Amino acid sequence: MTTTTKAMPAKGETILRLSQICKNFGAVSALTDIDLEVKAGEVVALVGDNGAGKSTLIKVLAGVHQPSSGTIDFMGRPASLDSPGKALELGIATVFQDLALCENLDVVANLFLGHEMSPWALDEVAMEVRAWTLLRELAARIPSVRQPIASLSGGQRQTVAIARSLLLDPKIIMLDEPTAALGVAQTAEVLNLIERVRDRGLGVIIISHNMEDVRAVADRIVVLRLGRNNGVFTPDASNQELVAAITGATENSVSRRMERKSVHAQEQTGSLT
Amino acid sequence: MSKPANLTPAPAEAPLDRSDVRMRHDDSIGAMLRASLDKVRSGDLGMLPVVVGLIVISVVFSLLNPVFLLPNNLVNLLFDCATVGIISLGIVCVLLLGEIDLSVGSMSGLASAMVGVLWVNLGLALPLAIFAGLAAGACVGALYGVLYNRLGMPSFVATLAGLLALLGLQLYILGPTGSINLPFASVLVRFGQIYVMPAWLSHLLALVPGAVMVLRGLRTRAGRQAAGLSAPPLSALILKAGLLTLGLEFAVFYLNQGRGVPWMFGLLIALVVVLDYALTRTQWGRSMFAVGGNREAARRAGINVRRIYMSAFMLCSTLAALGGMLSAARLASSSQQAGTGDVNLNAIAAAVIGGTSLFGGRGSAYSALLGIIVIQAISNGLTLLNLSSSLRYMITGAVLAIAVIVDSLARRSRVSHGRA
Ligand SMILES: Nc1ncnc2c1ncn2[C@@H]1O[C@H](COP(=O)(O)OP(=O)(O)O)[C@@H](O)[C@H]1O
Ligand SMILES: [Mg+2]
């Protein structure tokens, strides 16, 4: 456990600034000239269709992938995130879409992985207590923290991954579709949690396909499309605008469907009268 | 009107880890036995196959030849266990990562040759010769680590190449004579053939595991209770420690009817205990299991994965070198045959038979100890029956096959029972 009293950035101060980030996988350009800024005490939602490059961007920031070009500034200084350990050390915590948990280890071991208390004589008791407190905060429904991850449900695993991101007192938390497998209560808890950490002055990046959740917590909505920036919106932007930015056209399958539905509804009400 | 099921949370004073109503808690001894049975049923076999195997082996061989269970035969058995057991300990480390080292036999042969050449032929001081052997092991392991980490060479291939190369080096440094006799009066050879613990010391040492178990159990209990966690029942702890002490004291008593407990076997036990501590109670050990379970997840948690691979390969080769030098002591010679034949496979088989998975992420230091006892018991029993080595190889091969089959079946069962 780090007991360092890391100075929290002042509210509104820019924690993270990306400029012109590109990432190629061989011939595929997953990200092209991405700009993004996250301030302390701000929730940025990252939205986009499947394959838009959201997870890739998160992984670049987590030190999992190295960007092909572009610069990353962290707390006003250029940072090279050349390994996941480096990103964690700086205070960038991530909940990955695939969770990245070790199924053969129990919940406590996963929570503290790489950051165990007293490395030469593991303090299992202290770690277990901390694990329970963290999971309580998230209203987690986990019967025992001594179960291997393999025996947990998808939602329980997601809660463990979220709890782990909070462990190291990060400055910024990135959540890649954190509520995809969660129940109603846990989703609400995660949204509450996002608001709580924002109020504590952390920066948050959240990826979600659920526009309702996104509007509920986000201060800004950043749209990615085919690996490029495609607009920044406020939460009061209309659904139509957002969908248009995400899919890249005002004429799209979502709006067509909506239209069809409303016409259908009008017809029905018409036939009733 | 139907009321919802009783959803009241557990009372506030319930321990932190006892607040979920779905969890069955096994607090009495009976319940703990039931829990262990559940574990075995779901494929978490632990040490069970070995214990069953050992009982079967002892019964069969002592029926066929009563000499098998005589104290002095068992003392010899333990002398034989120590050398390959130490090699097998290193194998446990690489298997935990889901890797393999096929060159431990050759490495042990090379180290044994080095001791002979450096100490006997060149007149170097014994400690220096031993240190050189260990250093050679560490270097070979480091080389495998570099090949794996930097060039992405599968350990299977790298160590297969090492198997040949190290054997060649062993033959090269032994020269045309091919065999060097180690002086019988030397400490090394006496350690490998003669030295046993005084009876009183062995009885005293047999008390230690039980005592440590109780002391640690009490400390954990106090710590957990102070932290507001549930604590395992005291009765179970005392019972386990009592049974363990009783078993060990009996074993020591029985061995002392013969020559006594070999110091070399004591060394194996000490190494097992140290490795077990390192694997279960340190950050390094946790990282070993994590890398073996999910390498990418371990990397993303900030673990230096390359360093973990490097440490495992180095530890494995170094222990192989140590085992090789001890087998030279056991045979009082460094020869071209050292480390060839079944040494390699016995070391790997011991780890697997003892319950370390070939798939990575599961296992324990104790598996090397238990596995090697099984293997040496079979080999010893078959030798007593005057069976040719052809039959011995076939039977040992069959036992290894059975162990691997048990491992994969148990793994399948664990997956379906959510135990990974
Ligand atoms: N490791 C990889 N190797 C090659 N291509 C990748 C890799 N990871 C992602 N991609 C590609 O990058 C694009 C963006 O993927 P991703 O970031 O996962 O999208 P999403 O926005 O759905 O999270 C996809 O076209 C995907 O095929
Ligand atoms: Mg994604």
Side-chain angles (χ1 to χ4, degrees):
Chain A
M1 266 307 282
T2 48
T3 46
T4 48
T5 47
K6 284 190 218 155
M8 280 315 287
K11 226 171 210 155
E13 192 184 330
T14 302
I15 304 180
L16 190 65
R17 187 200 305 273
L18 312 186
S19 43
Q20 304 291 302
I21 291 287
C22 300
K23 175 67 190 172
N24 306 326
F25 293 108
V28 181
S29 321
L31 298 174
T32 315
D33 296 339
I34 297 290
D35 295 322
L36 181 73
E37 200 179 291
V38 183
K39 298 193 176 76
E42 182 187 43
V43 179
V44 175
L46 206 54
V47 300
D49 252 341
N50 290 326
K54 309 178 297 287
S55 296
T56 306
L57 184 57
I58 291 288
K59 284 181 187 164
V60 166
L61 291 176
V64 173
H65 292 323
Q66 303 310 306
S68 310
S69 67
T71 54
I72 302 172
D73 288 322
F74 188 79
M75 306 292 289
R77 261 182 250 131
S80 73
L81 303 170
D82 46 16
S83 76
K86 187 79 173 289
L88 287 170
E89 206 178 289
L90 283 176
I92 304 176
T94 315
V95 179
F96 293 98
Q97 188 166 16
D98 59 8
L99 304 183
L101 299 169
C102 290
E103 300 213 341
N104 58 330
L105 296 180
D106 66 19
V107 176
V108 178
N110 268 285
L111 283 177
F112 285 86
L113 200 56
H115 307 276
E116 287 85 358
M117 291 181 179
S118 54
W120 295 103
L122 298 184
D123 191 345
E124 295 288 354
V125 174
M127 290 199 281
E128 190 169 333
V129 171
R130 182 97 171 86
W132 280 115
T133 351
L134 262 177
L135 292 170
R136 280 262 169 99
E137 258 176 57
L138 292 169
R141 297 269 176 273
I142 291 177
S144 161
V145 290
R146 289 300 176 189
Q147 276 175 301
I149 291 292
S151 67
L152 299 184
S153 75
Q156 289 171 327
R157 291 178 199 204
Q158 214 153 34
T159 320
V160 172
I162 294 172
R164 177 163 76 177
S165 70
L166 295 171
L167 193 74
L168 295 175
D169 293 327
K171 295 194 177 66
I172 182 165
I173 296 187
M174 307 188 290
L175 306 114
D176 194 349
E177 306 200 19
T179 55
L182 293 188
V184 192
Q186 281 78 32
T187 302
E189 281 309 328
V190 169
L191 296 181
N192 286 343
L193 170 90
I194 289 174
E195 285 169 351
R196 275 207 306 277
V197 297
R198 175 194 56 198
D199 295 342
R200 259 174 29 206
L202 275 73
V204 179
I205 300 179
I206 177 173
I207 295 177
S208 175
H209 288 298
N210 186 332
M211 287 305 146
E212 242 174 84
D213 293 352
V214 165
R215 278 170 206 284
V217 292
D219 298 307
R220 268 188 309 138
I221 303 174
V222 174
V223 180
L224 290 191
R225 189 173 119 73
L226 301 177
R228 291 171 184 275
N229 281 108
N230 202 28
V232 179
F233 297 83
T234 50
D236 47 22
S238 76
N239 233 355
Q240 200 130 27
E241 280 177 283
L242 278 176
V243 171
I246 290 171
T247 56
T250 35
E251 244 301 293
N252 58 58
S253 52
V254 181
S255 63
R256 277 199 301 276
R257 185 179 153 81
M258 298 291 256
E259 222 161 83
R260 218 167 49 233
K261 269 199 166 167
S262 64
V263 170
H264 190 68
Q266 273 171 5
E267 274 173 2
Q268 276 203 331
T269 44
S271 68
L272 273 177
T273 49
Chain B
M1 208 186 104
S2 67
K3 274 170 78 173
N6 186 11
L7 289 178
T8 47
E13 62 270 22
L16 264 177
D17 53 343
R18 290 296 155 90
S19 42
D20 198 302
V21 289
R22 287 166 304 175
M23 194 69 187
R24 192 187 74 203
H25 299 296
D26 306 307
D27 283 336
S28 66
I29 293 177
M32 283 181 121
L33 280 178
R34 190 150 21 93
S36 329
L37 206 67
D38 279 357
K39 248 174 122 172
V40 169
R41 280 215 194 99
S42 68
D44 202 344
L45 300 179
M47 305 282 171
L48 189 71
V50 189
V51 175
V52 172
L54 268 180
I55 293 174
V56 171
I57 290 166
S58 320
V59 170
V60 170
F61 281 130
S62 57
L63 284 180
L64 292 174
N65 185 344
V67 172
F68 180 76
L69 274 185
L70 290 186
N72 265 336
N73 187 50
L74 295 187
V75 171
N76 272 336
L77 185 66
L78 294 190
F79 266 112
D80 288 332
C81 283
T83 56
V84 187
I86 288 173
I87 301 175
S88 180
L89 214 48
I91 290 289
V92 168
C93 292
V94 287
L95 284 187
L96 273 181
L97 298 182
E99 300 298 328
I100 190 88
D101 185 342
L102 296 173
S103 71
V104 283
S106 299
M107 185 64 236
S108 73
L110 175 62
S112 108
M114 282 180 71
V115 164
V117 170
L118 293 176
W119 176 44
V120 178
N121 285 7
L122 300 180
L124 211 63
L126 179 60
L128 280 181
I130 290 179
F131 179 80
L134 294 177
C139 288
V140 169
L143 180 65
Y144 293 150
V146 169
L147 288 177
Y148 185 90
N149 285 332
R150 301 288 157 182
L151 305 181
M153 200 163 166
S155 58
F156 179 83
V157 182
T159 59
L160 198 59
L163 184 154
L164 274 179
L166 296 178
L167 177 60
L169 196 56
Q170 176 189 353
L171 300 183
Y172 177 78
I173 67 170
L174 279 175
T177 45
S179 151
I180 300 166
N181 289 326
L182 307 184
F184 272 101
S186 64
V187 180
L188 184 64
V189 173
R190 292 171 78 84
F191 183 75
Q193 298 190 339
I194 295 169
Y195 285 154
V196 293
M197 297 177 192
W200 62 268
L201 184 63
S202 56
H203 277 290
L204 208 62
L205 287 178
L207 289 176
V208 171
V212 169
M213 193 185 238
V214 170
L215 285 180
R216 241 181 72 181
L218 288 178
R219 250 189 49 201
T220 312
R221 266 178 68 84
R224 289 182 70 87
Q225 277 165 345
L229 295 169
S230 69
L234 202 58
S235 50
L237 177 69
I238 305 273
L239 185 72
K240 260 200 260 177
L243 286 178
L244 180 69
T245 308
L246 223 68
L248 286 177
E249 284 296 343
F250 176 74
V252 164
F253 167 80
Y254 193 72
L255 291 171
N256 277 325
Q257 303 303 299
R259 286 158 64 199
V261 183
W263 272 111
M264 193 155 73
F265 189 71
L267 175 65
L268 171 63
I269 303 266
L271 289 173
V272 168
V273 169
V274 169
L275 184 64
D276 182 64
Y277 180 89
L279 285 176
T280 55
R281 309 260 301 148
T282 70
Q283 186 171 39
W284 173 79
R286 201 43 65 78
S287 305
M288 291 278 289
F289 281 94
V291 172
N294 186 341
R295 183 197 153 118
E296 180 60 17
R299 186 173 87 89
R300 291 191 195 169
I303 292 172
N304 189 338
V305 175
R306 286 180 171 173
R307 206 155 64 196
I308 294 294
Y309 279 107
M310 182 60 92
S311 68
F313 283 124
M314 285 180 71
L315 205 54
C316 180
S317 294
T318 311
L319 285 169
L322 179 60
M325 291 187 282
L326 291 178
S327 50
R330 177 96 187 103
L331 301 170
S333 85
S334 307
S335 71
Q336 292 182 337
Q337 276 73 48
T340 58
D342 53 0
V343 173
N344 229 346
L345 276 179
N346 277 352
I348 296 170
V352 175
I353 289 173
T356 293
S357 174
L358 285 167
F359 306 100
R362 320 190 116 251
S364 98
Y366 287 99
S367 61
L369 177 64
L370 292 173
I372 198 61
I373 293 179
V374 169
I375 294 222
Q376 290 297 352
I378 294 174
S379 148
N380 180 293
L382 294 175
T383 312
L384 286 181
L385 296 179
N386 278 326
L387 287 181
S388 65
S389 57
S390 56
L391 265 175
R392 269 192 6 233
Y393 283 166
M394 283 192 265
I395 293 181
T396 312
V399 171
L400 174 60
I402 292 171
V404 174
I405 291 168
V406 168
D407 180 30
S408 3
L409 287 183
R411 178 176 139 104
R412 224 186 275 170
S413 169
R414 282 197 305 271
V415 168
S416 70
H417 285 81
R419 279 176 181 272

mmCIF file of all heavy atoms in Angstrom, chain A residues 51 54-56 97 176-177 207, ligand 2:
data_model
loop_
_atom_site.group_PDB
_atom_site.id
_atom_site.type_symbol
_atom_site.label_atom_id
_atom_site.label_comp_id
_atom_site.label_asym_id
_atom_site.label_seq_id
_atom_site.Cartn_x
_atom_site.Cartn_y
_atom_site.Cartn_z
ATOM 1 N N GLY A 51 -15.729 -0.976 -32.306
ATOM 2 C CA GLY A 51 -14.575 -0.852 -33.182
ATOM 3 C C GLY A 51 -14.151 0.578 -33.431
ATOM 4 O O GLY A 51 -13.272 0.831 -34.248
ATOM 5 N N LYS A 54 -12.291 2.978 -28.850
ATOM 6 C CA LYS A 54 -12.377 3.432 -27.453
ATOM 7 C C LYS A 54 -11.456 2.613 -26.561
ATOM 8 O O LYS A 54 -10.645 3.158 -25.805
ATOM 9 C CB LYS A 54 -13.830 3.315 -26.947
ATOM 10 C CG LYS A 54 -14.850 3.953 -27.850
ATOM 11 C CD LYS A 54 -16.261 3.763 -27.340
ATOM 12 C CE LYS A 54 -16.728 2.315 -27.257
ATOM 13 N NZ LYS A 54 -17.012 1.685 -28.541
ATOM 14 N N SER A 55 -11.561 1.296 -26.655
ATOM 15 C CA SER A 55 -10.733 0.446 -25.796
ATOM 16 C C SER A 55 -9.259 0.633 -26.108
ATOM 17 O O SER A 55 -8.413 0.623 -25.210
ATOM 18 C CB SER A 55 -11.113 -1.022 -25.974
ATOM 19 O OG SER A 55 -12.436 -1.221 -25.549
ATOM 20 N N THR A 56 -8.944 0.801 -27.386
ATOM 21 C CA THR A 56 -7.547 1.007 -27.762
ATOM 22 C C THR A 56 -7.009 2.272 -27.109
ATOM 23 O O THR A 56 -5.890 2.290 -26.582
ATOM 24 C CB THR A 56 -7.429 1.100 -29.293
ATOM 25 O OG1 THR A 56 -8.043 -0.058 -29.861
ATOM 26 C CG2 THR A 56 -5.990 1.164 -29.726
ATOM 27 N N GLN A 97 -12.014 -3.609 -20.304
ATOM 28 C CA GLN A 97 -13.242 -4.233 -20.776
ATOM 29 C C GLN A 97 -13.232 -5.738 -20.497
ATOM 30 O O GLN A 97 -14.232 -6.300 -20.100
ATOM 31 C CB GLN A 97 -13.392 -3.981 -22.282
ATOM 32 C CG GLN A 97 -14.732 -4.410 -22.841
ATOM 33 C CD GLN A 97 -14.968 -3.850 -24.223
ATOM 34 O OE1 GLN A 97 -14.049 -3.393 -24.900
ATOM 35 N NE2 GLN A 97 -16.202 -3.868 -24.658
ATOM 36 N N ASP A 176 -13.821 1.029 -18.760
ATOM 37 C CA ASP A 176 -14.220 0.584 -20.095
ATOM 38 C C ASP A 176 -15.462 -0.299 -19.970
ATOM 39 O O ASP A 176 -15.369 -1.459 -19.587
ATOM 40 C CB ASP A 176 -13.057 -0.172 -20.751
ATOM 41 C CG ASP A 176 -13.264 -0.357 -22.245
ATOM 42 O OD1 ASP A 176 -14.390 -0.094 -22.714
ATOM 43 O OD2 ASP A 176 -12.304 -0.747 -22.923
ATOM 44 N N GLU A 177 -16.591 0.260 -20.306
ATOM 45 C CA GLU A 177 -17.885 -0.432 -20.186
ATOM 46 C C GLU A 177 -18.025 -1.115 -18.833
ATOM 47 O O GLU A 177 -18.197 -2.331 -18.754
ATOM 48 C CB GLU A 177 -18.056 -1.442 -21.327
ATOM 49 C CG GLU A 177 -17.856 -0.779 -22.679
ATOM 50 C CD GLU A 177 -18.466 -1.556 -23.829
ATOM 51 O OE1 GLU A 177 -19.328 -2.405 -23.579
ATOM 52 O OE2 GLU A 177 -18.085 -1.290 -24.978
ATOM 53 N N ILE A 207 -16.466 4.704 -20.535
ATOM 54 C CA ILE A 207 -16.968 4.252 -21.829
ATOM 55 C C ILE A 207 -18.266 3.516 -21.562
ATOM 56 O O ILE A 207 -18.322 2.665 -20.670
ATOM 57 C CB ILE A 207 -15.973 3.290 -22.503
ATOM 58 C CG1 ILE A 207 -14.685 4.033 -22.832
ATOM 59 C CG2 ILE A 207 -16.583 2.692 -23.754
ATOM 60 C CD1 ILE A 207 -13.629 3.145 -23.439
HETATM 61 MG MG MG C 2 -14.171 -1.829 -26.407
#
